[in-house]
Amino acid sequence: MIREEEALGKAYDTRLMRRLLGYARPQFWWILLALVLTVIVTASTIVQPYLVKIAIDNDINTVSLPLVAYPIGQAPAGLPAVPFGGRLYVRVKALPKAPGSNVPIYTILAAGGQTAMIQGPMPHQAFTILPGARQVRVGSRLLTAVPVSAAAMSRFRQQDVAGLELIGVIFLAALLLAFLANYLQAYILNWVSQSSIFAIRKDVITKIERMPAAFFDKNPTGRLVTRATNDVEALEEMYSSVMVNMIRDGLLLVGVVVIMFQMNTYLALISIAVLPVVFVAANIYRNKARTAYRNVRLALARINAFLAENISGMRVVQTFQRQQAQEEKFRSANGAFRDAGIREIRLFAIFRPFMDFLYTGMVAVLVWFGGGSIIDSALTFGVVYAFIQYIQLLFQPINDVTQNYSILQSAMAASERLFVLLDRPLDLVDAPSPQALPAGKGRVVFDHVWFAYEEPTWVLRDVSFAIEPGQTVAFVGATGAGKTSIMSLLARFYDVQRGQVLVDGVDLRQVAQAELRQRIAVVHQDVFIFAGTIRQNIALNKPLTDAQIMAAAQLVGADRFITRLPHGYDEPVQERGSTFSTGQRQLLSLARAVAADPSILVLDEATSNIDTESEQQIQAALHNLAGTRTMIVVAHRLSTIQSADCIFVMAQGQIRESGTHQQLLAQGGLYYDLYRLQYKEDYDVT
Amino acid sequence: MRHFRALIPYFRRHRWFYVFGVGALLGADLAQLILPQVLERFVNTVQRAGAVQSDLWPYAIALLVLAVIIFATRFLWRNFVQGAARLIDYEMRQDLFHQFTLLSPNYFNHHKTGDLMAHATNDLQAVRMALSMGVVMIADTAFLITSTLIIMFSTISPSLATFALLPLPLAAVVTGLLGRQIHLRFRAVQDQFSTLSEHVQENFSGIRVVKSFVQEEPELARLMAHSREYFTRNMNLVRIWALIQPLVQFIQGLAFVIALVYGGILVVRGTISLGAFVAFTSYLGLLNWPMQSIGQLVNLIQRSGASLQRLQDIFAERPEITDRPGVTPPATPLRGALRLNHLSFSYPDSNRPAVADVSVDLAAGRTLALIGRTGAGKSTIINLLLRVFDPPPGTIFVDQIDILDLPLLTLRETIAYVPPDNFLFSESIAQNIAFSDADLGREIVEQAAADAAVKGEILQFPDGFETLLGERGVTLSGGQKQRVSLARALAKTAQVLILDDSFSAVDTYTEETILRGLLDLRQNRTTLLVAHRVSTIKHADLILVLEDGRVVESGTHAALLDHKGFYARLYQRQLLEDRLGGAPEGRGA
């Protein structure tokens, strides 16, 4: 039996994971493409702060970069040279090689809304530009300066604006690329995910469909439906996000660390010093979160169980006037759920803000150390800015991990249940090389058959009988006497414990189930109508001609109501055939059985719930069919079976009497009593 | 939106949680808003020629202080707001269960258990989300967006703010437009999921027919077609849905590019400082989350509004069966005399009378039996007597008092009842038997079990009376359940005992033993027996034979046999059936 209870095992189970990934294998190339796209997205994410760094260092924060001067016309070709005061100025940074120490350096200073050029590098102390911008005071010294007009400034910064625009274009291109890659990746991953769960669902439904009848006795339909629907659905996010998210997070982590080291080893070392703390914290959180999550789920399961029970048993609660007592009991289950929820909140309320704390703390650390390096001119500002951005990216995978973790956890729980189901042996399988049934006879033999749904409650005890081809036999007896069990064994829904059941001399266990069931048509008590048309319901996917279908319907007398339908044989029928009366549905299912042209036709209480008119029709139909094939009828109305070649009277899992109607009446036994009683019941009641 | 008014009383009860929680949340937001200001000043300081490292410590310290404040305030709002939501969730669920206990069985006949459970879990969860994340998003979004905008426009640069924020409304427009489509396609996915579930359900319940006609393969193909359609609709949804996040990110990126280029140019021109530029990009970053959450917020409010409406519908349901105003318990305890006075009754959704003109007078301490086919009206009479449904006034009397004039509590305390479905709870056997009063002594519980002829079997279980029943415990057989249910009624001290078809799964011998015991036990107490089997009722003082809601024969066993009517035939038939011997607990029918 498969238990509904939320079994919360490990959040990650290699064995389960491998099987789950196996379902995604047909999409291997798509996954690979998604990975490539992920790399693009990640690269774009990582490159963005770097672009900002370039913009800051190369374009925005460049006013005071050292310059060298060339006479007009002598500046190196292809370099941005700005004419000012009769000379051309080129940034030192732009030169292919650093100028010699004897080459004079010029610097533009900006302060208090004035700009002035001095000869020499940027002063290390605070400075002020004196009014008129012809002198700059640095400490106690006065430097000679040349005022730089606004127009000249904009000439000097022309290259920066152009640079900014270029970076803007590159940035935009990166964004666009990321957008496309992101969307495509999401689409592909969802496609992979949906394909995988489609495949799993197919396996699950197919497996359930192939399970023997006994399996359905033990597992409520609702539970099986949950397996095929919700449990499979729980895997969706695992495929669509977790699978690639983990790789993306890893890439992001590595990428950020690499670029940090590439920019500045000192700050990179300081930055990654926080990682061990983060990992330890995340690990502690993960362990605690697992317990907290489990407790919440368990408390919820308890609430659900309590509600299910008390809602369906509310009548008992009310007639015993136990409303308050049950409310108190619910209060404790409900309270446990609340408390488990609050513990989960508290845990999360520490973890997430702690990560925020670490991030802001790291910004403080970067401000201190990075700022110091800027002052020492060991670093540019853009690098520090980029580090602050990268630190933020560093925390993203950590925060994702917690989300991925809970998705994984529920996926693992669901897949555990699914694989338990998929791994179940089929119990009742065809023999490795099944024997073929000899063509078209229909001889049935039960040879000392003992059968129990669950031992040792024997439902059939040592039952033996033989039915010759073309005979019509009937089984009668009280409810629970074993009549329906005989029919189930004949269709091999179950295997016998002792003895054997033979059709045309072959033990059923040696016959392929499909072949057997093509030989035997069973008309069940509960009629099952397939969605489709009347025609489809009679033919049931067999290549029957219209004439054959109509002949079957005529034979059982179903054509009369069918031809009166607006679309006749093409009338669409609802699931469960709810638009038809019980009698009509039964006639339909009888027509279906006849159309299958079986050598053995079984009617299991097929006339139980119908009105007299329909019953007479069915009886006429049976009369038509008699002699053409072996017919086995279970009925509790004796009138249906009087013309049978042989009647078996069953009691307590055994055949007590057998013979024709007349013989049994003459015998004066159980059948006689039964008949007398029913006759009275049917015709005598006032 | 008006559905949210129902939350006001709960809100009010926990208002301080919300006041402190939202206060802490705004505190965290404030700290976040100060942070770029610190960065701005830091940047401008390091930019200044002649700055030394010791100039930086105020900024580092300020950031550390902000880090601590952010940690503390976020810790607090999560606890306060989400904690309050949990408390309200708990209270609403308790109130909902209370409401369930008030509703009449008729309500439960018309509402599926699964649906009612979903209200108590899924719907409440949606409401809880609105009460926690919904409140947080509203406060957060409103505060962060307005204050960020104010700061951007007033302290940094109105023109930069204008240009950089230009793309952001686009995000709202796009998500709004796509949102509709997504909603429709999402509905289509859900519908197909239901369709698939229904077909799977249908197929599994008809599996025997499927198998006997070898229809497994065509049926699988059909199910797979539904599954394939589900796949297709999902991909249809994904096609737009997967667009949202990348698009919003792109639009946010666009705003950032504008800030970078235009803001950079402003720095180049000397219009704003580098520090202000850094602060501006930080503020822009602060807008990302609120922009993304607006879509979620709308979705959340819609979903929780729908959930709240469903909950409201249940709370608005008035119990059908209640005490009449002003009823008081009788001065002396009821003795248990029963009178039915021309009792007729039709169920609410039927116009055919289930009981028609039934009259009977039964002195206290006597035994009355009702017998008849399924649907003859036996259980209806019991249901009316228990006021599962209310009888018409003046038709049912206990001790000459109309039961409508008795408090429900008094009436039901007077009656011990064995329901036909033998419903037991997933608790220990002892707890089940002591259901009427948890404080019942062990002797009474065991005596009741002995009287119901089930004590021996209970003691066979390893845990005896402490054996747990249900999913996590043992599964009792039908007969055992029936007898534990009987013991539960016998353990209750009541003047009237009702056995509604309580021996159907018990063999004749055990039934005889129990009944003989009951005769002694029930002297001076009224007993009502409902049965299909004559053997159950032949000792009754009065037997009513019901047919289509009417009494067709009445009298003692002997008198009815002499009458040679329906009852006599039934008796004959059952004698024969006993000979044919259908096993009572067998299956395979």
Side-chain angles (χ1 to χ4, degrees), chain A residues 3 61 124 183 209-211 233 309 315 318 322 327 334 356 375 494 541 575 651 673 677, chain B residues 47 74 98 101 103 199 202-203 208 211 215 217 230 239 417 426 471 573 576 579-580:
Chain A
R3 285 272 170 186
N61 200 19
H124 287 294
Y183 173 66
E209 191 86 2
R210 301 239 158 97
M211 289 307 272
E233 214 55 30
E309 190 163 286
R315 227 175 95 116
Q318 287 175 343
R322 300 307 293 164
E327 269 182 59
N334 194 13
D356 297 337
I375 290 170
Y494 305 89
N541 304 300
E575 302 271 337
D673 289 344
L677 207 75
Chain B
Q47 284 303 103
R74 288 197 171 156
H98 176 71
T101 67
L103 294 172
H199 283 263
E202 173 100 354
N203 175 278
R208 276 162 191 275
K211 280 179 182 294
Q215 290 300 301
E217 293 310 318
Y230 180 64
R239 206 161 294 142
Y417 173 58
S426 304
E471 279 266 315
R573 183 188 162 84
L576 180 79
R579 279 179 61 203
L580 283 169

Side-chain angles (χ1 to χ4, degrees), chain A residues 46-65:
Chain A
I46 293 178
V47 87
Q48 285 173 16
Y50 198 77
L51 287 175
V52 180
K53 178 225 164 238
I54 294 173
I56 290 177
D57 286 346
N58 290 6
D59 303 313
I60 299 176
N61 200 19
T62 51
V63 61
S64 298
L65 285 180

Side-chain angles (χ1 to χ4, degrees), chain B residues 158-439:
Chain B
S159 70
L160 178 57
T162 310
F163 284 116
L165 294 178
L166 217 50
L168 292 187
L170 202 65
V173 171
V174 166
T175 46
L177 287 179
L178 292 181
R180 261 194 73 76
Q181 268 298 313
I182 287 176
H183 180 70
L184 290 177
R185 295 187 183 197
F186 184 68
R187 281 289 294 276
V189 167
Q190 284 192 312
D191 289 349
Q192 183 59 23
F193 188 74
S194 311
T195 310
L196 176 65
S197 302
E198 276 163 30
H199 283 263
V200 168
Q201 156 97 38
E202 173 100 354
N203 175 278
F204 289 173
S205 26
I207 194 77
R208 276 162 191 275
V209 179
V210 171
K211 280 179 182 294
S212 41
F213 283 91
V214 203
Q215 290 300 301
E216 289 101 324
E217 293 310 318
E219 276 292 286
L220 277 177
R222 211 166 59 93
L223 291 178
M224 283 310 119
H226 288 298
S227 188
R228 172 65 60 185
E229 173 67 17
Y230 180 64
F231 172 92
T232 310
R233 291 193 185 183
N234 257 309
M235 289 319 294
N236 238 339
L237 170 65
V238 164
R239 206 161 294 142
I240 342 183
W241 177 78
L243 200 61
I244 290 277
Q245 207 219 351
L247 199 60
V248 169
Q249 278 179 1
F250 176 73
I251 291 171
Q252 284 169 348
L254 211 58
F256 187 83
V257 174
I258 296 175
L260 175 65
V261 175
Y262 185 60
I265 289 174
L266 289 183
V267 177
V268 165
R269 285 196 199 140
T271 318
I272 60 172
S273 68
L274 182 62
F277 167 81
V278 170
F280 187 86
T281 56
S282 303
Y283 282 122
L284 204 55
L286 279 186
L287 283 180
N288 282 351
W289 190 76
M291 291 306 288
Q292 281 174 20
S293 70
I294 284 179
Q296 284 177 34
L297 182 62
V298 170
N299 191 353
L300 185 72
I301 287 176
Q302 275 173 353
R303 275 189 38 211
S304 54
S307 288
L308 207 51
Q309 163 149 37
R310 287 193 284 271
L311 290 170
Q312 281 296 95
D313 289 346
I314 301 178
F315 280 119
E317 197 76 36
R318 289 290 129 234
E320 291 167 44
I321 312 286
T322 48
D323 282 343
R324 281 189 174 181
V327 292
T328 48
T332 51
L334 295 173
R335 295 178 51 247
L338 281 183
R339 187 156 70 87
L340 306 188
N341 179 27
H342 300 289
L343 173 66
S344 295
F345 179 77
S346 304
Y347 282 101
D349 41 10
S350 146
N351 42 25
R352 197 184 63 90
V355 173
D357 197 29
V358 173
S359 294
V360 69
D361 208 337
L362 189 74
R366 312 306 293 269
T367 300
L368 172 71
L370 305 174
I371 195 165
R373 289 203 181 97
T374 309
K378 310 178 299 278
S379 289
T380 306
I381 295 179
I382 302 301
N383 283 339
L384 293 170
L385 184 55
L386 281 166
R387 286 189 64 193
V388 169
F389 291 92
D390 267 343
T395 53
I396 303 184
F397 298 84
V398 175
D399 290 6
Q400 307 310 322
I401 307 172
D402 188 333
I403 58 168
L404 296 177
D405 292 327
L406 284 171
L408 271 173
L409 184 66
T410 311
L411 175 71
R412 288 178 182 164
E413 267 175 359
T414 311
I415 299 172
Y417 173 58
V418 186
D421 58 356
N422 306 303
F423 188 89
L424 297 177
F425 291 89
S426 304
E427 296 178 331
S428 75
I429 295 178
Q431 281 171 315
N432 266 291
I433 295 178
F435 186 64
S436 56
D437 179 359
D439 298 327

Side-chain angles (χ1 to χ4, degrees), chain B residues 304-576:
Chain B
S304 54
S307 288
L308 207 51
Q309 163 149 37
R310 287 193 284 271
L311 290 170
Q312 281 296 95
D313 289 346
I314 301 178
F315 280 119
E317 197 76 36
R318 289 290 129 234
E320 291 167 44
I321 312 286
T322 48
D323 282 343
R324 281 189 174 181
V327 292
T328 48
T332 51
L334 295 173
R335 295 178 51 247
L338 281 183
R339 187 156 70 87
L340 306 188
N341 179 27
H342 300 289
L343 173 66
S344 295
F345 179 77
S346 304
Y347 282 101
D349 41 10
S350 146
N351 42 25
R352 197 184 63 90
V355 173
D357 197 29
V358 173
S359 294
V360 69
D361 208 337
L362 189 74
R366 312 306 293 269
T367 300
L368 172 71
L370 305 174
I371 195 165
R373 289 203 181 97
T374 309
K378 310 178 299 278
S379 289
T380 306
I381 295 179
I382 302 301
N383 283 339
L384 293 170
L385 184 55
L386 281 166
R387 286 189 64 193
V388 169
F389 291 92
D390 267 343
T395 53
I396 303 184
F397 298 84
V398 175
D399 290 6
Q400 307 310 322
I401 307 172
D402 188 333
I403 58 168
L404 296 177
D405 292 327
L406 284 171
L408 271 173
L409 184 66
T410 311
L411 175 71
R412 288 178 182 164
E413 267 175 359
T414 311
I415 299 172
Y417 173 58
V418 186
D421 58 356
N422 306 303
F423 188 89
L424 297 177
F425 291 89
S426 304
E427 296 178 331
S428 75
I429 295 178
Q431 281 171 315
N432 266 291
I433 295 178
F435 186 64
S436 56
D437 179 359
D439 298 327
L440 278 187
R442 176 48 69 93
E443 318 83 68
I444 298 178
V445 168
E446 293 196 11
Q447 186 55 49
D451 291 339
V454 70
K455 185 178 174 185
E457 282 160 78
I458 293 174
L459 292 177
Q460 299 274 303
F461 293 123
D463 296 327
F465 277 88
E466 301 311 318
T467 303
L468 281 179
L469 302 183
E471 279 266 315
R472 284 171 298 143
V474 302
T475 311
L476 296 182
S477 75
Q480 288 169 335
K481 268 188 182 168
Q482 211 159 45
R483 281 169 291 147
V484 171
S485 160
L486 180 61
R488 172 172 65 189
L490 294 179
K492 179 177 175 180
T493 327
Q495 274 311 112
V496 179
L497 174 68
I498 298 178
L499 304 176
D500 193 350
D501 199 12
S502 305
F503 297 100
S504 58
V506 179
D507 64 83
T508 334
Y509 174 74
T510 314
E511 179 184 357
E512 194 67 39
T513 317
I514 298 173
L515 283 171
R516 207 165 309 127
L518 277 186
L519 278 182
D520 295 337
L521 215 68
R522 299 296 305 173
Q523 280 182 6
N524 304 321
R525 300 207 188 148
T526 314
T527 305
L528 252 78
L529 291 167
V530 171
H532 288 108
R533 285 216 299 258
V534 172
S535 56
T536 316
I537 58 165
K538 56 188 176 201
H539 302 296
D541 297 311
L542 178 63
I543 298 169
L544 300 186
V545 181
L546 291 168
E547 180 94 6
D548 290 333
R550 293 178 184 280
V551 177
V552 289
E553 294 170 21
S554 70
T556 62
H557 179 67
L560 287 170
L561 282 189
D562 283 347
H563 181 64
K564 293 193 192 308
F566 179 88
Y567 184 84
R569 275 202 309 281
L570 195 69
Y571 183 59
Q572 290 292 326
R573 183 188 162 84
Q574 285 176 357
L575 282 183
L576 180 79

